[in-house]
Amino acid sequence: MDAITDSDLLASFLLYQKELQQFLTRKVNCAETAADLIQETYLRIARYSAAGEVANQRAFVFRIADNLALDHLRSRARQEQRDGGLVGEDIACNQPQPDSTLEGQQQMELFETLIYELPPQCRKVFLACRVEGKSYSEIAAELGISARTVESHMHKALKHLKDRIDFF
């Protein structure tokens, strides 16, 4: 049997490179990491000085790549354990972002302004219904007006708010 040279081993690497890429991508579940591991595999093969002792070049190339992938996966597992793992939604902050808080405050101020533009009786009816959650009949009894008048005030208030909000 002829002695295998370093260039033969590198030629074998190039022959199996696409297959190695697929193998490593499945193994580490990331194409970019697999590409990095392919480069490291090449460097290891290029530095290997005992190429003449390799009986099965394909198996040798794949063994180097597999060992690098295992080292990577172990390292990633240690890092995740050390760092407490991946950040999940249960850890993420559920507070609104400052810009959305500011936007909400501005909308609330606009809404308050629009409510105070309503005539006093109409405003009382609207607030009793929408803020206090009272029914039309409860509001009618409290204010000494008919339920139909309460309905009319609500219609007027909602139309005013809709028209003004659409204006902005």
Side-chain angles (χ1 to χ4, degrees):
M1 181 172 168
D2 295 329
I4 298 173
T5 64
D6 291 347
S7 61
D8 290 340
L9 200 51
L10 289 173
S12 293
F13 168 82
L14 294 173
L15 179 66
Y16 302 121
Q17 185 175 358
K18 186 174 182 95
E19 194 178 343
L20 269 173
Q21 179 73 37
Q22 293 170 344
F23 168 75
L24 289 171
T25 300
R26 280 192 309 271
K27 185 104 176 165
V28 297
N29 201 24
C30 176
E32 291 82 16
T33 302
D36 291 344
L37 293 173
I38 287 286
Q39 290 178 8
E40 183 61 29
T41 301
Y42 177 82
L43 293 173
R44 297 267 174 109
I45 289 170
R47 289 190 300 241
Y48 191 69
S49 60
E53 300 172 12
V54 176
N56 184 337
Q57 293 177 4
R58 182 181 185 281
F60 182 74
V61 168
F62 272 83
R63 174 53 56 201
I64 290 174
D66 189 46
N67 287 343
L68 288 169
L70 288 173
D71 289 346
H72 169 77
L73 292 172
R74 286 182 191 130
S75 173
R76 187 170 67 188
R78 281 191 306 271
Q79 182 178 5
E80 285 177 8
Q81 186 177 24
R82 182 178 56 247
D83 295 343
L86 298 174
V87 176
E89 287 190 29
D90 55 332
I91 295 175
C93 179
N94 292 326
Q95 296 296 320
Q97 297 297 313
D99 57 339
S100 62
T101 301
L102 178 62
E103 184 180 334
Q105 287 173 344
Q106 290 171 341
Q107 287 175 349
M108 192 61 157
E109 288 171 7
L110 171 64
F111 197 62
E112 280 181 20
T113 302
L114 295 177
I115 289 172
Y116 282 98
E117 288 177 357
L118 293 170
Q121 185 77 346
C122 189
R123 183 176 346 129
K124 283 181 190 175
V125 169
F126 179 80
L127 292 173
C129 182
R130 294 300 168 110
V131 176
E132 298 173 22
K134 295 181 179 177
S135 69
Y136 286 4
S137 58
E138 291 174 322
I139 297 168
E142 189 177 291
L143 296 177
I145 56 176
S146 71
R148 183 90 172 133
T149 304
V150 171
E151 185 178 337
S152 174
H153 281 304
M154 278 301 293
H155 178 72
K156 183 177 180 180
L158 292 172
K159 181 173 180 353
H160 171 75
L161 293 172
K162 182 186 178 314
D163 290 346
R164 296 287 285 150
I165 288 173
D166 288 344
F167 176 74
F168 290 102

